[in-house]
Amino acid sequence: MTLKPARLLLALIAVATAPAFAQNIAVVNGKAIPTARVDAIVKQVVAQGQQPDSPQLREMIKKDLISREVLMQEAEKQGYSKDASVKTQLENARQAIVVNAMVADYVKKNPVKEADVKAEYDRFVKETGDKEYHVRHILVETEAQANEIITKLKGGAKFEDLAKQSKDTGSANNGGDLDWATPSSFPPVFSDAFVKLQKGQVTEKPVQTPNGFHVIKVDDVRAAKLPSLEEVKPQIEEALTQKKLQAYQEELVKKAKIQ
């Protein structure tokens, strides 16, 4: 069958324009909304695990995009896009989007190495230590007061009773109890004093910190319950990634000509 010239022309027009319509979900007052925008939002929603791709989801997104386009056109008509405050916010948003894209690409091309994660974990274990201490303390204003407490303890006084006079109100009514903790949880001058003690021992001399003078007792010692490498790996990777990004940013700033 041979098409007449008029019908052939209409058929060609239909074929030529079909892809253009397929590329848009709608045309609002002459402004096209590309189907690609729906696809991008669907991909994001699915990736975040909010809900699976479906005709209902796409229809909801389509309606939202149409509503937004209508509002955008009205805002443009009323001149809001020319407002100085709006322009500033748009520029800030533009910079954030562009920079985030660059950062994501940089992280992808410069991933944290497994060896670096392991080294950071080993450093954490070494600094934390392999022991936990159940510690009590009494904090007073002067060295003389601390020495007086130590003398009373040697004379048979109970640590818990003397702890009631401690400046540390958080632990005073609980016998000076600081609970179980690793040495790294305390200032070095404080932890250096109690790691030398055995179970049940009290510091022979007052320990001075910016808060005052401490008398410290070790109630008990046990093996530290540290998380495994696999448990903290995501946090270590994130920390190392941020450290890498910080170094990259500082390098760029250093190279920039700033007047």
Side-chain angles (χ1 to χ4, degrees), residues 32-215:
I33 302 177
T35 303
R37 287 181 63 184
V38 175
D39 294 337
I41 296 173
V42 169
K43 183 178 180 181
Q44 184 179 5
V45 170
V46 172
Q48 293 174 350
Q50 297 179 22
Q51 58 180 297
D53 188 356
S54 68
Q56 293 80 6
L57 173 62
R58 288 179 174 272
E59 183 61 26
M60 181 179 69
I61 294 172
K62 173 184 174 181
K63 289 180 179 179
D64 182 60
L65 288 175
I66 290 173
S67 296
R68 268 197 277 171
E69 182 58 39
V70 170
L71 289 172
M72 182 63 184
Q73 290 182 20
E74 182 60 26
E76 290 273 5
K77 186 190 298 183
Q78 295 187 28
Y80 285 99
S81 61
K82 297 177 182 179
D83 181 84
S85 175
V86 172
K87 284 184 177 181
T88 299
Q89 293 178 63
L90 285 172
E91 177 57 21
N92 289 339
R94 186 190 71 82
Q95 288 186 7
I97 292 169
V98 174
V99 169
N100 287 342
M102 181 190 71
V103 166
D105 190 52
Y106 177 83
V107 170
K108 185 178 180 181
K109 292 178 180 177
N110 299 274
V112 173
K113 298 178 181 178
E114 289 289 331
D116 293 335
V117 174
K118 179 64 166 57
E120 184 67 14
Y121 177 76
D122 291 342
R123 185 186 66 79
F124 158 73
V125 171
K126 183 177 180 181
E127 288 185 358
T128 304
D130 59 354
K131 293 180 180 178
E132 286 182 325
Y133 295 77
H134 190 180
V135 178
R136 295 177 185 271
H137 83 135
I138 302 171
L139 175 63
V140 291
E141 194 71 41
T142 68
E143 185 175 9
Q145 289 175 313
N147 279 321
E148 184 180 348
I149 289 171
I150 292 173
T151 300
K152 289 181 178 179
L153 288 170
K154 288 181 178 180
K158 289 186 178 181
F159 195 95
E160 290 81 353
D161 293 337
L162 297 179
K164 293 177 182 179
Q165 62 184 288
S166 178
K167 284 174 55 184
D168 179 8
T169 55
S171 66
N173 294 325
N174 196 28
D177 195 356
L178 296 177
D179 208 347
W180 287 96
T182 58
S184 62
S185 303
F186 300 95
V189 66
F190 190 93
S191 60
D192 287 347
F194 71 68
V195 295
K196 301 172 185 177
L197 303 176
Q198 299 297 319
K199 178 180 176 180
Q201 286 187 327
V202 177
T203 47
E204 287 286 334
K205 296 180 180 180
V207 179
Q208 185 178 11
T209 70
N211 297 317
F213 291 85
H214 305 258
V215 178

